[in-house]
Protein backbone atom coordinates (compact mmCIF):
# COMPACT_ATOMS: atom_id res chain seq x y z
CA UNK A 1 0.00 0.00 0.00
CA UNK A 2 0.99 3.63 -0.17
CA UNK A 3 2.75 5.08 2.86
CA UNK A 4 -0.24 7.37 3.50
CA UNK A 5 -2.71 4.49 3.66
CA UNK A 6 -0.36 2.42 5.78
CA UNK A 7 0.24 5.31 8.18
CA UNK A 8 -3.47 6.02 8.44
CA UNK A 9 -4.17 2.39 9.34
CA UNK A 10 -1.43 2.36 11.97
CA UNK A 11 -2.48 5.65 13.53
CA UNK A 12 -6.09 4.52 13.55
CA UNK A 13 -5.14 1.35 15.44
CA UNK A 14 -3.02 3.35 17.87
CA UNK A 15 -5.81 5.78 18.54
CA UNK A 16 -8.24 2.95 19.18
CA UNK A 17 -5.87 1.33 21.65
CA UNK A 18 -5.29 4.66 23.44
CA UNK A 19 -8.92 5.39 24.22
CA UNK A 20 -11.77 4.50 21.93
CA UNK A 21 -14.44 5.36 24.49
CA UNK A 22 -14.40 8.94 23.24
CA UNK A 23 -16.24 7.81 20.09
CA UNK A 24 -19.52 7.28 21.94
CA UNK A 25 -22.08 9.99 22.69
CA UNK A 26 -22.33 10.27 26.48
CA UNK A 27 -26.12 10.17 26.56
CA UNK A 28 -26.24 6.74 24.96
CA UNK A 29 -23.96 5.19 27.58
CA UNK A 30 -26.44 5.40 30.45
CA UNK A 31 -26.24 2.22 32.52
CA UNK A 32 -29.39 0.28 33.27
CA UNK A 33 -30.63 0.76 36.83
CA UNK A 34 -29.47 -1.84 39.33
CA UNK A 35 -33.04 -2.92 40.09
CA UNK A 36 -34.13 -3.10 36.46
CA UNK A 37 -34.25 -6.53 34.86
CA UNK A 38 -32.38 -6.80 31.57
CA UNK A 39 -34.86 -8.20 29.05
CA UNK A 40 -33.10 -10.42 26.49
CA UNK A 41 -34.37 -11.91 23.24
CA UNK A 42 -32.72 -14.90 21.58
CA UNK A 43 -32.26 -14.79 17.79
CA UNK A 44 -31.59 -18.16 16.15
CA UNK A 45 -30.72 -20.33 19.16
CA UNK A 46 -29.73 -23.45 17.23
CA UNK A 47 -26.82 -25.71 18.14
CA UNK A 48 -24.30 -23.17 19.45
CA UNK A 49 -27.07 -20.72 20.32
CA UNK A 50 -28.73 -23.24 22.62
CA UNK A 51 -25.69 -24.99 24.09
CA UNK A 52 -23.70 -21.82 24.83
CA UNK A 53 -26.02 -18.82 24.67
CA UNK A 54 -29.28 -20.08 26.20
CA UNK A 55 -27.75 -22.47 28.72
CA UNK A 56 -25.20 -19.89 29.88
CA UNK A 57 -27.74 -17.10 30.30
CA UNK A 58 -30.19 -19.34 32.18
CA UNK A 59 -27.34 -20.40 34.47
CA UNK A 60 -26.38 -16.79 35.13
CA UNK A 61 -30.03 -15.98 35.85
CA UNK A 62 -30.22 -18.82 38.38
CA UNK A 63 -27.02 -17.58 40.01
CA UNK A 64 -28.52 -14.15 40.60
CA UNK A 65 -28.01 -12.12 37.44
CA UNK A 66 -30.85 -9.62 37.03
CA UNK A 67 -31.76 -10.83 33.54
CA UNK A 68 -34.65 -12.62 31.90
CA UNK A 69 -34.88 -14.34 28.53
CA UNK A 70 -38.30 -13.06 27.55
CA UNK A 71 -38.52 -14.24 23.92
CA UNK A 72 -37.12 -16.66 21.34
CA UNK A 73 -37.05 -16.09 17.57
CA UNK A 74 -36.23 -19.27 15.64
CA UNK A 75 -37.21 -20.48 12.14
CA UNK A 76 -37.41 -24.19 13.09
CA UNK A 77 -40.52 -24.82 15.18
CA UNK A 78 -39.09 -27.93 16.85
CA UNK A 79 -35.99 -26.06 18.03
CA UNK A 80 -38.03 -23.00 19.00
CA UNK A 81 -40.32 -25.01 21.28
CA UNK A 82 -37.45 -27.01 22.76
CA UNK A 83 -35.50 -23.85 23.64
CA UNK A 84 -38.54 -22.05 25.07
CA UNK A 85 -39.51 -25.09 27.14
CA UNK A 86 -35.96 -25.33 28.48
CA UNK A 87 -36.00 -21.66 29.55
CA UNK A 88 -39.34 -22.19 31.28
CA UNK A 89 -38.08 -25.26 33.11
CA UNK A 90 -34.82 -23.57 34.18
CA UNK A 91 -35.95 -20.01 34.94
CA UNK A 92 -39.69 -20.32 35.51
CA UNK A 93 -40.88 -17.83 32.88
CA UNK A 94 -42.50 -18.85 29.60
CA UNK A 95 -40.74 -16.87 26.83
CA UNK A 96 -42.72 -15.59 23.86
CA UNK A 97 -42.12 -17.54 20.64
CA UNK A 98 -41.48 -15.95 17.25
CA UNK A 99 -40.39 -16.91 13.77
CA UNK A 100 -39.47 -13.33 12.80
CA UNK A 101 -36.87 -11.63 15.00
CA UNK A 102 -38.05 -8.20 13.83
CA UNK A 103 -41.50 -8.91 15.18
CA UNK A 104 -39.92 -9.97 18.47
CA UNK A 105 -37.92 -6.74 18.66
CA UNK A 106 -41.03 -4.69 17.87
CA UNK A 107 -43.31 -6.30 20.46
CA UNK A 108 -41.22 -7.41 23.43
CA UNK A 109 -39.71 -4.19 24.86
CA UNK A 110 -36.26 -5.77 24.83
CA UNK A 111 -33.04 -4.36 26.22
CA UNK A 112 -30.67 -6.78 24.48
CA UNK A 113 -30.46 -9.64 22.00
CA UNK A 114 -28.22 -12.66 21.67
CA UNK A 115 -27.60 -13.68 18.03
CA UNK A 116 -26.53 -17.18 16.97
CA UNK A 117 -27.79 -17.49 13.39
CA UNK A 118 -25.70 -18.56 10.38
CA UNK A 119 -23.01 -16.08 9.35
CA UNK A 120 -24.88 -14.58 6.40
CA UNK A 121 -27.54 -13.15 8.74
CA UNK A 122 -25.23 -11.54 11.30
CA UNK A 123 -24.78 -8.12 9.71
CA UNK A 124 -28.46 -7.45 9.19
CA UNK A 125 -29.51 -8.68 12.61
CA UNK A 126 -26.76 -6.72 14.38
CA UNK A 127 -27.62 -3.51 12.55
CA UNK A 128 -31.37 -3.96 13.05
CA UNK A 129 -30.84 -4.57 16.77
CA UNK A 130 -28.44 -1.66 17.33
CA UNK A 131 -30.74 0.67 15.41
CA UNK A 132 -33.58 -0.49 17.68
CA UNK A 133 -31.54 0.66 20.69
CA UNK A 134 -30.57 -2.82 21.90
CA UNK A 135 -27.34 -4.17 23.32
CA UNK A 136 -25.99 -7.07 21.25
CA UNK A 137 -24.15 -10.31 21.82
CA UNK A 138 -23.35 -11.93 18.46
CA UNK A 139 -21.72 -15.27 17.88
CA UNK A 140 -18.49 -15.17 15.88
CA UNK A 141 -17.72 -14.36 13.17
CA UNK A 142 -19.08 -10.86 13.51
CA UNK A 143 -20.07 -10.75 9.82
CA UNK A 144 -19.91 -12.75 6.59
CA UNK A 145 -18.21 -10.00 4.55
CA UNK A 146 -15.51 -7.41 5.19
CA UNK A 147 -17.72 -4.55 4.03
CA UNK A 148 -20.38 -5.70 6.49
CA UNK A 149 -17.87 -5.54 9.35
CA UNK A 150 -16.99 -1.97 8.38
CA UNK A 151 -20.68 -1.07 8.41
CA UNK A 152 -21.29 -2.69 11.80
CA UNK A 153 -18.46 -0.59 13.24
CA UNK A 154 -20.11 2.62 12.01
CA UNK A 155 -23.55 1.67 13.31
CA UNK A 156 -22.18 0.49 16.66
CA UNK A 157 -20.18 3.67 17.25
CA UNK A 158 -23.25 5.76 16.46
CA UNK A 159 -25.51 3.68 18.71
CA UNK A 160 -23.39 3.78 21.84
CA UNK A 161 -24.70 0.34 22.78
CA UNK A 162 -22.70 -2.49 24.28
CA UNK A 163 -21.78 -5.23 21.81
CA UNK A 164 -19.82 -8.39 22.46
CA UNK A 165 -18.56 -10.70 19.68
CA UNK A 166 -18.66 -14.31 20.75
CA UNK A 167 -15.07 -15.50 20.48
CA UNK A 168 -15.16 -16.54 24.13
CA UNK A 169 -11.42 -17.22 24.32
CA UNK A 170 -10.87 -13.46 24.35
CA UNK A 171 -12.08 -13.53 27.97
CA UNK A 172 -9.03 -15.53 29.00
CA UNK A 173 -6.70 -13.30 31.08
CA UNK A 174 -3.73 -14.84 29.25
CA UNK A 175 -4.05 -12.44 26.33
CA UNK A 176 -4.23 -9.28 28.44
CA UNK A 177 -1.13 -10.33 30.38
CA UNK A 178 0.73 -11.13 27.16
CA UNK A 179 -0.25 -7.71 25.83
CA UNK A 180 1.09 -5.95 28.93
CA UNK A 181 4.42 -7.76 28.72
CA UNK A 182 4.70 -7.14 24.97
CA UNK A 183 4.00 -3.42 25.36
CA UNK A 184 6.64 -3.24 28.09
CA UNK A 185 9.21 -4.76 25.72
CA UNK A 186 9.48 -8.32 27.05
CA UNK A 187 10.01 -9.69 23.51
CA UNK A 188 11.74 -6.68 21.99
CA UNK A 189 10.44 -5.67 18.58
CA UNK A 190 7.46 -7.98 17.77
CA UNK A 191 7.85 -9.60 14.37
CA UNK A 192 5.36 -12.42 13.94
CA UNK A 193 2.53 -14.43 15.42
CA UNK A 194 1.74 -18.00 14.50
CA UNK A 195 -1.40 -19.92 15.34
CA UNK A 196 -3.59 -22.84 14.26
CA UNK A 197 -6.83 -24.75 14.75
CA UNK A 198 -6.38 -28.43 13.89
CA UNK A 199 -9.13 -31.04 13.85
CA UNK A 200 -9.66 -34.52 12.45
CA UNK A 201 -12.68 -36.72 11.79
CA UNK A 202 -13.69 -39.92 10.03
CA UNK A 203 -16.96 -38.40 8.74
CA UNK A 204 -15.89 -34.93 7.60
CA UNK A 205 -16.07 -31.63 9.42
CA UNK A 206 -19.41 -30.16 10.52
CA UNK A 207 -21.18 -33.37 9.44
CA UNK A 208 -21.47 -34.23 13.14
CA UNK A 209 -24.49 -31.89 13.14
CA UNK A 210 -27.10 -34.62 12.73
CA UNK A 211 -29.91 -34.46 10.16
CA UNK A 212 -33.31 -35.48 11.53
CA UNK A 213 -36.62 -36.37 9.92
CA UNK A 214 -38.45 -33.57 11.71
CA UNK A 215 -36.44 -31.04 9.69
CA UNK A 216 -38.97 -30.41 6.90
CA UNK A 217 -40.33 -27.48 4.89
CA UNK A 218 -43.38 -27.67 7.16
CA UNK A 219 -41.34 -27.14 10.37
CA UNK A 220 -38.63 -24.83 8.99
CA UNK A 221 -39.31 -21.44 7.37
CA UNK A 222 -36.84 -22.12 4.59
CA UNK A 223 -37.13 -18.82 2.73
CA UNK A 224 -36.61 -16.90 5.95
CA UNK A 225 -33.57 -19.03 6.78
CA UNK A 226 -32.07 -18.40 3.33
CA UNK A 227 -32.84 -14.69 3.49
CA UNK A 228 -33.85 -14.52 -0.17
CA UNK A 229 -36.28 -11.65 0.43
CA UNK A 230 -33.52 -9.70 2.16
CA UNK A 231 -31.01 -10.47 -0.62
CA UNK A 232 -28.78 -12.48 1.71
CA UNK A 233 -28.59 -15.60 -0.47
CA UNK A 234 -30.11 -17.10 -3.59
CA UNK A 235 -33.11 -19.38 -3.57
CA UNK A 236 -32.51 -23.13 -3.59
CA UNK A 237 -34.59 -26.26 -2.84
CA UNK A 238 -34.99 -27.20 0.81
CA UNK A 239 -32.05 -29.34 1.93
CA UNK A 240 -31.48 -30.69 5.45
CA UNK A 241 -27.74 -30.89 4.81
CA UNK A 242 -27.50 -27.20 3.89
CA UNK A 243 -29.74 -26.18 6.80
CA UNK A 244 -27.89 -28.05 9.52
CA UNK A 245 -24.33 -28.19 8.12
CA UNK A 246 -24.25 -24.72 6.55
CA UNK A 247 -20.63 -24.03 7.57
CA UNK A 248 -19.59 -26.29 4.68
CA UNK A 249 -21.07 -24.01 2.02
CA UNK A 250 -19.82 -20.57 0.91
CA UNK A 251 -23.17 -18.72 0.74
CA UNK A 252 -23.72 -19.16 4.48
CA UNK A 253 -20.30 -19.65 6.10
CA UNK A 254 -16.60 -19.84 5.31
CA UNK A 255 -15.56 -23.14 6.84
CA UNK A 256 -12.50 -23.14 9.05
CA UNK A 257 -11.69 -19.52 8.18
CA UNK A 258 -14.62 -18.04 10.09
CA UNK A 259 -15.65 -20.91 12.35
CA UNK A 260 -12.19 -21.70 13.73
CA UNK A 261 -9.43 -19.36 12.55
CA UNK A 262 -11.30 -16.32 13.85
CA UNK A 263 -10.94 -17.65 17.44
CA UNK A 264 -7.17 -17.84 17.19
CA UNK A 265 -6.72 -14.58 15.29
CA UNK A 266 -8.85 -12.74 17.85
CA UNK A 267 -6.57 -13.99 20.63
CA UNK A 268 -3.39 -13.05 18.76
CA UNK A 269 -4.67 -9.56 17.97
CA UNK A 270 -5.71 -9.10 21.58
CA UNK A 271 -2.27 -10.19 22.81
CA UNK A 272 -0.30 -8.04 20.36
CA UNK A 273 -2.57 -5.00 20.18
CA UNK A 274 -2.71 -5.29 16.38
CA UNK A 275 -6.00 -4.67 14.61
CA UNK A 276 -6.66 -4.27 10.86
CA UNK A 277 -4.35 -6.16 8.49
CA UNK A 278 -2.60 -4.36 5.65
CA UNK A 279 -2.01 -7.28 3.30
CA UNK A 280 -3.62 -10.78 3.29
CA UNK A 281 -3.00 -13.96 1.30
CA UNK A 282 -4.92 -17.23 1.56
CA UNK A 283 -4.11 -20.72 0.28
CA UNK A 284 -5.27 -24.31 0.61
CA UNK A 285 -7.71 -26.73 -0.98
CA UNK A 286 -10.07 -29.67 -0.55
CA UNK A 287 -7.43 -32.38 -0.43
CA UNK A 288 -9.31 -35.25 1.24
CA UNK A 289 -12.89 -34.55 2.28
CA UNK A 290 -14.76 -35.00 -1.01
CA UNK A 291 -18.14 -35.02 0.64
CA UNK A 292 -20.00 -32.32 -1.27
CA UNK A 293 -18.48 -29.43 0.67
CA UNK A 294 -17.43 -26.07 -0.79
CA UNK A 295 -14.86 -25.07 1.83
CA UNK A 296 -11.29 -26.42 2.07
CA UNK A 297 -9.98 -28.99 4.53
CA UNK A 298 -6.44 -27.53 4.39
CA UNK A 299 -5.93 -23.78 4.60
CA UNK A 300 -3.35 -21.13 5.43
CA UNK A 301 -3.71 -17.38 5.89
CA UNK A 302 -0.73 -15.01 5.92
CA UNK A 303 -1.52 -11.49 7.10
CA UNK A 304 0.90 -8.54 7.25
CA UNK A 305 0.23 -5.59 9.53
CA UNK A 306 1.31 -1.97 9.24
CA UNK A 307 3.12 -2.20 12.58
CA UNK A 308 5.67 -4.43 10.84
CA UNK A 309 4.29 -7.77 12.04
CA UNK A 310 3.27 -10.88 10.13
CA UNK A 311 0.55 -13.30 11.23
CA UNK A 312 0.36 -16.93 10.14
CA UNK A 313 -2.66 -19.20 10.59
CA UNK A 314 -2.28 -22.69 9.17
CA UNK A 315 -4.34 -25.82 9.75
CA UNK A 316 -5.81 -28.98 8.34
CA UNK A 317 -9.12 -30.55 9.26
CA UNK A 318 -7.65 -33.99 8.51
CA UNK A 319 -4.76 -34.16 11.02
CA UNK A 320 -4.76 -33.19 14.68
CA UNK A 321 -1.86 -34.77 16.54
CA UNK A 322 0.93 -32.68 14.98
CA UNK A 323 -0.43 -29.18 15.38
CA UNK A 324 1.61 -25.99 15.17
CA UNK A 325 2.57 -24.07 18.28
CA UNK A 326 0.71 -20.89 19.11
CA UNK A 327 3.43 -18.30 19.51
CA UNK A 328 4.40 -14.65 19.24
CA UNK A 329 7.98 -14.01 18.11
CA UNK A 330 10.10 -10.98 18.94
CA UNK A 331 13.70 -9.97 18.31
CA UNK A 332 14.74 -10.69 21.91
CA UNK A 333 12.39 -13.55 22.76
CA UNK A 334 9.16 -15.40 22.08
CA UNK A 335 5.97 -16.43 23.82
CA UNK A 336 4.36 -19.82 23.33
CA UNK A 337 1.01 -20.65 24.88
CA UNK A 338 -0.48 -23.72 26.52
CA UNK A 339 -3.72 -23.46 28.43
CA UNK A 340 -3.40 -20.61 30.90
CA UNK A 341 0.40 -20.60 30.72
CA UNK A 342 2.71 -18.27 28.80
CA UNK A 343 6.16 -19.68 28.13
CA UNK A 344 8.94 -17.15 27.51
CA UNK A 345 12.01 -18.25 25.55
CA UNK A 346 14.79 -15.65 25.24
CA UNK A 347 17.09 -15.30 22.27
CA UNK A 348 20.79 -15.95 22.85
CA UNK A 349 22.90 -13.33 24.73
CA UNK A 350 24.98 -12.63 21.61
CA UNK A 351 21.82 -11.03 20.17
CA UNK A 352 20.21 -9.54 23.28
CA UNK A 353 23.46 -8.49 25.02
CA UNK A 354 21.69 -9.50 28.22
CA UNK A 355 22.79 -12.72 29.92
CA UNK A 356 20.13 -12.29 32.62
CA UNK A 357 17.26 -13.16 30.30
CA UNK A 358 16.14 -16.70 31.16
CA UNK A 359 13.34 -18.99 30.07
CA UNK A 360 10.31 -18.81 32.33
CA UNK A 361 6.66 -19.78 32.51
CA UNK A 362 4.06 -17.24 33.59
CA UNK A 363 0.76 -18.67 34.72
CA UNK A 364 -2.51 -16.76 34.62
CA UNK A 365 -5.77 -17.46 36.36
CA UNK A 366 -7.56 -20.47 34.84
CA UNK A 367 -11.11 -19.83 33.63
CA UNK A 368 -13.31 -22.88 34.18
CA UNK A 369 -16.19 -21.76 31.93
CA UNK A 370 -15.22 -19.35 29.16
CA UNK A 371 -18.77 -19.04 27.79
CA UNK A 372 -19.96 -17.96 31.21
CA UNK A 373 -17.05 -15.53 31.66
CA UNK A 374 -17.69 -14.01 28.23
CA UNK A 375 -21.42 -13.49 28.80
CA UNK A 376 -20.76 -12.14 32.30
CA UNK A 377 -18.31 -9.66 30.80
CA UNK A 378 -21.05 -8.51 28.38
CA UNK A 379 -23.53 -8.09 31.24
CA UNK A 380 -20.96 -6.20 33.30
CA UNK A 381 -20.33 -3.81 30.40
CA UNK A 382 -24.06 -3.20 30.04
CA UNK A 383 -24.41 -2.58 33.79
CA UNK A 384 -21.49 -0.13 33.66
CA UNK A 385 -22.75 1.55 30.49
CA UNK A 386 -19.27 1.08 28.99
CA UNK A 387 -19.05 -0.45 25.48
CA UNK A 388 -15.25 -0.63 25.73
CA UNK A 389 -15.43 -2.90 28.76
CA UNK A 390 -16.21 -5.87 26.49
CA UNK A 391 -13.37 -8.31 25.98
CA UNK A 392 -14.23 -8.65 22.28
CA UNK A 393 -15.79 -5.39 21.16
CA UNK A 394 -16.61 -4.76 17.46
CA UNK A 395 -13.25 -3.06 16.84
CA UNK A 396 -11.44 -6.29 17.68
CA UNK A 397 -14.22 -8.40 16.15
CA UNK A 398 -14.02 -6.53 12.85
CA UNK A 399 -10.22 -6.74 12.70
CA UNK A 400 -10.23 -10.50 13.28
CA UNK A 401 -12.99 -11.23 10.80
CA UNK A 402 -11.38 -8.95 8.18
CA UNK A 403 -8.17 -10.96 8.45
CA UNK A 404 -9.80 -14.38 8.05
CA UNK A 405 -12.40 -13.36 5.44
CA UNK A 406 -9.75 -11.76 3.24
CA UNK A 407 -7.81 -15.01 3.60
CA UNK A 408 -10.85 -16.93 2.36
CA UNK A 409 -11.40 -14.43 -0.47
CA UNK A 410 -7.76 -14.68 -1.48
CA UNK A 411 -7.98 -18.47 -1.57
CA UNK A 412 -11.13 -18.36 -3.71
CA UNK A 413 -10.20 -15.48 -6.01
CA UNK A 414 -6.50 -16.16 -6.48
CA UNK A 415 -5.81 -12.56 -5.46
CA UNK A 416 -3.63 -10.98 -2.79
CA UNK A 417 -5.61 -8.29 -0.97
CA UNK A 418 -4.58 -5.05 0.65
CA UNK A 419 -6.95 -3.55 3.19
CA UNK A 420 -7.70 0.14 3.62
CA UNK A 421 -9.75 0.75 6.79
CA UNK A 422 -11.48 3.68 5.09
CA UNK A 423 -12.38 2.12 1.75
CA UNK A 424 -12.09 -1.64 2.26
CA UNK A 425 -10.30 -4.45 0.36
CA UNK A 426 -8.06 -3.59 -2.60
CA UNK A 427 -6.75 -5.92 -5.30
CA UNK A 428 -3.02 -5.89 -4.55
CA UNK A 429 -2.00 -6.32 -8.19
CA UNK A 430 -4.10 -3.38 -9.30
CA UNK A 431 -2.70 -1.29 -6.47
CA UNK A 432 0.83 -2.30 -7.46
CA UNK A 433 0.17 -1.16 -11.03
CA UNK A 434 -0.69 2.26 -9.58
CA UNK A 435 2.60 2.41 -7.68
CA UNK A 436 1.10 1.32 -4.37
CA UNK A 437 3.32 -1.53 -3.25
CA UNK A 438 3.42 -3.22 0.15
CA UNK A 439 7.01 -4.34 -0.46
CA UNK A 440 8.32 -0.96 -1.63
CA UNK A 441 7.32 0.87 1.54
CA UNK A 442 9.49 -1.49 3.60
CA UNK A 443 12.34 -1.26 1.09
CA UNK A 444 12.12 2.52 1.37
CA UNK A 445 12.27 2.33 5.16
CA UNK A 446 15.34 0.11 4.96
CA UNK A 447 17.09 2.42 2.49
CA UNK A 448 16.39 5.39 4.77
CA UNK A 449 17.50 3.49 7.90
CA UNK A 450 14.10 4.24 9.45
CA UNK A 451 13.30 3.30 13.05
CA UNK A 452 11.20 0.16 13.47
CA UNK A 453 7.45 0.41 13.83
CA UNK A 454 5.83 -1.14 16.87
CA UNK A 455 2.50 -2.60 17.93
CA UNK A 456 -0.03 -0.09 19.30
CA UNK A 457 0.56 0.42 23.01
CA UNK A 458 4.34 -0.10 22.82
CA UNK A 459 6.14 1.71 25.67
CA UNK A 460 9.63 0.20 25.48
CA UNK A 461 11.33 2.76 23.25
CA UNK A 462 14.00 1.22 21.02
CA UNK A 463 14.46 -1.91 23.16
CA UNK A 464 14.99 -4.91 20.93
CA UNK A 465 14.48 -2.97 17.71
CA UNK A 466 17.94 -1.72 16.78
CA UNK A 467 21.00 -3.35 15.25
CA UNK A 468 24.71 -3.10 16.02
CA UNK A 469 26.61 -1.65 13.07
CA UNK A 470 29.85 -3.64 12.50
CA UNK A 471 32.92 -1.45 12.07
CA UNK A 472 33.59 -2.87 8.62
CA UNK A 473 30.30 -1.41 7.37
CA UNK A 474 32.14 1.89 7.10
CA UNK A 475 33.57 0.41 3.89
CA UNK A 476 30.09 0.11 2.35
CA UNK A 477 28.67 2.42 -0.28
CA UNK A 478 28.98 3.13 -4.00
CA UNK A 479 32.26 4.20 -5.53
CA UNK A 480 31.77 7.40 -7.53
CA UNK A 481 34.22 8.18 -10.36
CA UNK A 482 36.46 5.42 -9.07
CA UNK A 483 36.65 6.95 -5.59
CA UNK A 484 35.65 5.06 -2.41
CA UNK A 485 32.85 6.36 -0.17
CA UNK A 486 33.95 9.27 2.02
CA UNK A 487 33.11 7.46 5.24
CA UNK A 488 35.57 4.68 4.36
Amino acid sequence: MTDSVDRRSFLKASTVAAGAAAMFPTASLKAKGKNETLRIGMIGPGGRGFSAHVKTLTKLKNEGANIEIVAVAEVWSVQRDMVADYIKAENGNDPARYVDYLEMIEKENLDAVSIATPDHWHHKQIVDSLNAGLHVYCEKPMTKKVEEAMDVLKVWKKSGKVMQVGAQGSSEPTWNLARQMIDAGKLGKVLMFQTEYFRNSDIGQWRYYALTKDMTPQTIDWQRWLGTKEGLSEDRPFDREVYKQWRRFWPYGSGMFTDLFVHRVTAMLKATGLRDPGRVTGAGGIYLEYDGRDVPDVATVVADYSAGVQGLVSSTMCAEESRLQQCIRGHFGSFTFSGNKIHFTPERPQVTHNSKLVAETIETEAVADLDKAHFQNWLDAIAAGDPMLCNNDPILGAAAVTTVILGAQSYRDGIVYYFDPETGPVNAYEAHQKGQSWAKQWEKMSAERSPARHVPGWTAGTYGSTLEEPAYMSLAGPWIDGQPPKKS
Side-chain angles (χ1 to χ4, degrees), residues 125-152:
Q125 290 168 340
I126 291 169
V127 169
D128 286 343
S129 300
L130 290 173
N131 284 338
L134 306 180
H135 303 293
V136 173
Y137 184 109
C138 184
E139 188 57 40
K140 54 77 196 163
M142 191 172 85
T143 58
K144 179 73 170 65
K145 301 175 182 177
V146 172
E147 295 80 2
E148 292 175 343
M150 297 170 70
D151 187 54
V152 164

Side-chain angles (χ1 to χ4, degrees), residues 9-75:
S9 177
F10 181 68
L11 290 175
K12 176 190 174 189
S14 300
T15 302
V16 164
M23 71 180 69
F24 298 100
T26 304
S28 67
L29 297 181
K30 182 180 178 182
K32 194 168 180 68
K34 291 183 179 179
N35 297 321
E36 295 179 77
T37 300
L38 190 77
R39 294 171 58 84
I40 302 174
M42 310 302 299
I43 301 177
R48 173 72 182 165
F50 176 60
S51 65
H53 294 222
V54 172
K55 288 188 175 181
T56 299
L57 287 169
T58 55
K59 181 188 298 184
L60 287 169
K61 162 75 172 176
N62 289 336
E63 292 178 357
N66 196 8
I67 62 174
E68 186 169 345
I69 303 177
V70 299
V72 174
E74 165 61 47
V75 299

Side-chain angles (χ1 to χ4, degrees), residues 1-6 278-279 418-420 424 426 431 435-439 441:
M1 299 298 282
T2 61
D3 287 342
S4 60
V5 169
D6 179 73
R279 181 182 188 274
Y418 293 157
F419 179 70
D420 184 328
V426 179
Q436 300 168 343
S437 169
W438 181 263
Q441 66 169 308

Side-chain angles (χ1 to χ4, degrees), residues 144 147 153 160 275 277 318 335 341 351 382 386 390 407 475:
K144 179 73 170 65
E147 295 80 2
L153 273 179
R275 289 300 181 262
C318 305
F335 287 149
K341 296 179 180 178
V351 172
I382 293 172
D386 185 358
C390 282
L475 300 176

Side-chain angles (χ1 to χ4, degrees), residues 257 261 279-285 287 296 298-304 311-313 403-417:
F257 293 98
F261 285 6
R279 181 182 188 274
V280 182
T281 306
Y287 297 152
V298 175
T300 296
V301 176
V302 180
D304 292 296
L312 171 69
V313 194
T403 300
V404 298
I405 289 176
L406 286 182
Q409 279 187 233
S410 175
Y411 159 71
R412 296 193 73 196
D413 299 342
I415 294 171
V416 175
Y417 283 101

